[in-house]
Structure formats: C-alpha cells, structure tokens
Amino acid sequence: LVLADFVGRAMTMRMSDELWDVVVIGSGIFGTCAAYHAAKQGLRTLKIDQHSFGHRKGSSHGSSRIIRYAHSNPAWIPIVKDTYEQIAELEKIRDEKLWLNTGLVWMGSEEYVNKLGKTIGDAGCNHEILDNEQINQRFPLFTYDKQWKGLFDPMGGVILADKWMWAFHNEFLRHGGAYIDWIKITQIEQGDIITLHSQYYDSIRCKKLIVAAGSWVNELVPSLNVKSKNLALSVCYWKPKEEKNAPLVSPDKMPVFIIDDQFDGGRGYFGIPTVDYPGAIKFGEHGGDQFAPGDEPETHDKIFVERPRQHLQKHWPLMDSEEPFRVDHCKYTMSPDGAYLIDYLGDNKNIVLCSMLSGTGFKCAPALGRIVTDMVQGKEPPIDISVFRAGRFGEPFSQ
C-alpha cells in the first residue's frame, strides 16, 4: 500500500475502503511515538497530519531539547525512566547516538531546591545539592551569590530532537506503519467503527483512534471543555564575549540547566550548551506570546529577549549579553495547570486524547506513546497517569 500526499506520492486505493486497527492524528514527536508502539505491537496503523512530516526535520528553533529526571512532580519520574530505557534500546537497534549526557543543573532558592531534591531522592534518583560556591567553581560561566542553590542531576542531557523524530518514524515504517501528509481532519464521527472526515480526502475508518493534536486540539475536539493556551516562545542564542571561552559552552564542559528565579518575579529559564549553532548556547525564558491556533504572531514581545539578557548580564559575565546571536521561535501548547492532558474522549474507550504537553512533552513522548497505545486497546497503563486525567478540570467534556 502506498499512500499519498500533495508532493507526488501515488494513492493505490480509496481510503474509505480501508479499515485500520489504529489511526493516529498528529505526526509530532508524541504522535510518531504512539504510532511506532501501535505498529510494533502488530496493529495496522495509519499516522496522519495536516502538514508534511518532512517539515519537522530541522525545527525553527534548533534540534536540541532537555531530558532529565529532576522534576517537582513525582509522577514524572517513572515516565522519564521508561523514555531513557526506550532510547537506549533504540540506540542499539539503529547504532546511532540519540542524546548527549551532559548532566543538568537546576538552580533556585534553597527551599525550592531542597524540595526538588527530596522528590527525586524519594524516587531513588542520584543527585547532588550544590551551594553557590560549588556551582560557580564547577561551572566557571556562572556567578551566583549565596541565596542560590543548585541540584545536579547526572542523568540530565541534550535530546537530539531531529534524530528522535526520524528514528521513531523510520522504525514505525519498518514495522509496517503507513502515513499521509497534508490531510486535516474536520470531524471525528464516533462509534464502534470511527470515521474521520476531511475536506479533500475520502473518509478514513478505524477501530481505535489516538488524538495527538497540538495547538488545534480544541478545534478538532469541540466537546473538550478544557481550553489550551498556545504560546510562541522566543528562543535566544548567545555567544561568549571572547573566543578563548568557547570551550566552556561545549557539551563536554557545560550542563543543560533550568533556572527558577524566585528572586526576580519567579520566572523560569532554560539553557543548553552549543549544539544547535556552533559556539552559541540556547538560553531563553519559559514564556511567550499567546496566540490562537492558525494565527501565530509575526512579531514577538521583546521582553522575552530582554529578561534572559538581563539574567545573563547579571550572572554570566563571560557571555556577550548585549544582544543575542540569533532568536528562533517555537510553540508550546499549555494546559490550564501546566500538566499533560491524557484521557479517553468522554465515554469512548476506543479514542484516547493526549495533548497540551506544556513544553515538556518531547522528553516524555516515547513513554507516553506506549501508555496511550495500551489505553486505546483497553489495557491498564504500565505507569500511573491519574494526575494527567481530564477529570481534574471538573466536567472536561460536553455532550
């Protein structure tokens, strides 16, 4: 079977004649991982997206992400543990490196860091608590005063995001999966056999459906009362003032880092050593311009560049903080409480919704993909995801 997109692939049969075991709507990292797990389990699986999968290769904000155990929510840790195990298995199968183990430093107030340390310590995760002098001595780029403390997570690192996307996509195809680009679903007709309608294609029929839509989830599922908040982030890249300090920002010298600045409005920042662009670190704020689906802003509030600049100027004296070397942009689809939304679509146990991954979904996608594939087959998830259920928002679905 050869499926079609608008760039020349040939379709050999009418889609309405097919009945798929599983269809996955969305070919981002989560949809791709879910499709991979479904195909790997022997299910006839189709992955569809309103854009081209190829456009995801080489994102507009570089190909790096952060992976870590450190998190304030204990429900996070077994999900990330499963992801680490899947990535290790995939590296062996494909004989390629999919992430860089740089370690992670999470910096904040003493109270916050100690609480974070207790959460991951109770889960059995190795870590160190560092005072400001230890931070500054171990990482010469930093200059933080005594009100700051840090948690070092030795398993933190850099996700090579493009490689993840293509590894899971190619393994999905190797297990017999199929996909269609450039098809936007306009209606989900629910039932024992689910029918998906679109504007230009034949209808698509399936026994099980996984909805892995991002910013357009409320348009696709109008009965969902939980409304996403879509943010466009300014992802800034900065270089050292002097070339001689370039080795300090390399992945073998510099960790990935997260900063909770309770001393300046409680803002959050993230950073990655030089991976995306030679000699430039990624350093930006966890926040951005809000936008409606399909109406992404053409201009961006400069405050989301200015605040990271001010933090660098104050705490990273070796970096050139006059202006960023480059500013790219990315999107977050946020839930109202910043946690994932994973649940059945109302009473329909053959439709699973996973969306609003709130800026941290990439690193958890392999594990979440396995979870929703089990759910849509009526199996109990291998990991407790009760904290991500839609019911936490009251009446999440209208009739």
Side-chain angles (χ1 to χ4, degrees), residues 141-180:
L141 282 176
F142 300 166
T143 303
Y144 288 92
D145 61 31
K146 63 182 179 180
Q147 65 184 341
W148 289 85
K149 292 192 75 171
L151 180 145
F152 181 71
D153 173 1
M155 283 298 293
V158 181
I159 294 169
L160 303 177
D162 285 350
K163 288 189 174 184
W164 278 36
M165 287 288 288
W166 283 103
F168 280 103
H169 179 69
N170 289 333
E171 290 301 307
F172 160 67
L173 296 179
R174 188 172 69 84
H175 286 287
Y179 73 99
I180 310 176

Side-chain angles (χ1 to χ4, degrees), residues 309-327:
R309 189 197 71 77
Q310 291 177 358
H311 189 94
L312 287 180
Q313 185 179 52
K314 184 176 181 180
H315 298 291
W316 297 49
L318 299 182
M319 299 301 295
D320 183 356
S321 58
E322 289 300 313
E323 61 178 339
F325 157 74
R326 182 186 177 104
V327 180

Side-chain angles (χ1 to χ4, degrees), residues 100-395:
L100 306 176
N101 185 196
T102 64
L104 169 135
V105 176
W106 193 318
M107 291 182 287
S109 67
E110 180 174 7
E111 178 182 4
Y112 187 88
V113 169
N114 287 342
K115 181 180 178 180
L116 185 66
K118 184 178 188 310
T119 298
I120 71 169
D122 289 348
C125 299
N126 293 331
H127 67 283
E128 295 178 67
I129 302 296
L130 308 175
D131 61 29
N132 71 299
E133 292 184 357
Q134 292 171 312
I135 294 170
N136 298 338
Q137 183 176 12
R138 188 177 298 189
F139 309 108
L141 282 176
F142 300 166
T143 303
Y144 288 92
D145 61 31
K146 63 182 179 180
Q147 65 184 341
W148 289 85
K149 292 192 75 171
L151 180 145
F152 181 71
D153 173 1
M155 283 298 293
V158 181
I159 294 169
L160 303 177
D162 285 350
K163 288 189 174 184
W164 278 36
M165 287 288 288
W166 283 103
F168 280 103
H169 179 69
N170 289 333
E171 290 301 307
F172 160 67
L173 296 179
R174 188 172 69 84
H175 286 287
Y179 73 99
I180 310 176
D181 292 340
W182 298 114
I183 177 170
K184 183 174 181 177
I185 299 302
T186 56
Q187 181 188 357
I188 299 172
E189 185 179 332
Q190 302 173 27
D192 292 338
I193 299 299
I194 303 158
T195 304
L196 306 176
H197 300 278
S198 67
Q199 187 172 359
Y200 299 111
Y201 277 88
D202 291 335
S203 59
I204 297 172
R205 300 186 308 133
C206 59
K207 301 174 186 177
K208 312 287 186 183
L209 176 65
I210 296 171
V211 179
S215 61
W216 57 296
V217 62
N218 290 113
E219 177 185 350
L220 180 62
V221 187
S223 63
L224 178 62
N225 294 328
V226 184
K227 304 305 179 186
S228 69
K229 182 172 72 171
N230 304 304
L231 299 179
L233 275 68
S234 295
V235 182
C236 306
Y237 291 87
W238 314 80
K239 288 189 172 185
K241 291 177 180 176
E242 300 181 37
E243 183 65 27
K244 68 178 182 180
N245 291 320
L248 297 179
V249 300
S250 64
D252 60 335
K253 297 289 186 182
M254 177 181 169
V256 295
F257 52 90
I258 297 173
I259 299 169
D260 279 282
D261 194 346
Q262 293 91 4
F263 314 113
D264 185 20
R267 297 183 183 90
Y269 302 100
F270 60 90
I272 294 176
T274 175
V275 173
D276 296 338
Y277 301 108
I281 67 166
K282 177 187 288 189
F283 183 78
E285 181 177 345
H286 274 298
D289 302 284
Q290 192 166 347
F291 67 93
D295 189 27
E296 298 177 34
E298 295 182 2
T299 60
H300 299 265
D301 193 331
K302 294 181 179 179
I303 193 63
F304 297 110
V305 175
E306 177 61 18
R307 286 198 289 244
R309 189 197 71 77
Q310 291 177 358
H311 189 94
L312 287 180
Q313 185 179 52
K314 184 176 181 180
H315 298 291
W316 297 49
L318 299 182
M319 299 301 295
D320 183 356
S321 58
E322 289 300 313
E323 61 178 339
F325 157 74
R326 182 186 177 104
V327 180
D328 291 339
H329 298 98
C330 71
K331 296 181 294 184
Y332 282 179
T333 302
M334 307 291 294
S335 72
D337 62 1
Y340 308 149
L341 181 66
I342 305 173
D343 213 336
Y344 294 104
L345 182 54
D347 295 329
N348 299 280
K349 301 303 181 185
N350 61 347
I351 303 177
V352 174
L353 174 65
C354 182
S355 187
M356 306 185 197
L357 299 183
S358 302
T360 62
F362 206 105
K363 60 186 67 60
C364 294
L368 296 179
R370 189 202 302 267
I371 288 169
V372 298
T373 300
D374 284 347
M375 288 177 63
V376 83
Q377 297 179 83
K379 302 176 183 177
E380 188 68 23
I383 298 170
D384 181 14
I385 59 161
S386 56
V387 296
F388 305 129
R389 298 279 193 176
R392 71 186 190 270
F393 297 113
E395 294 293 333

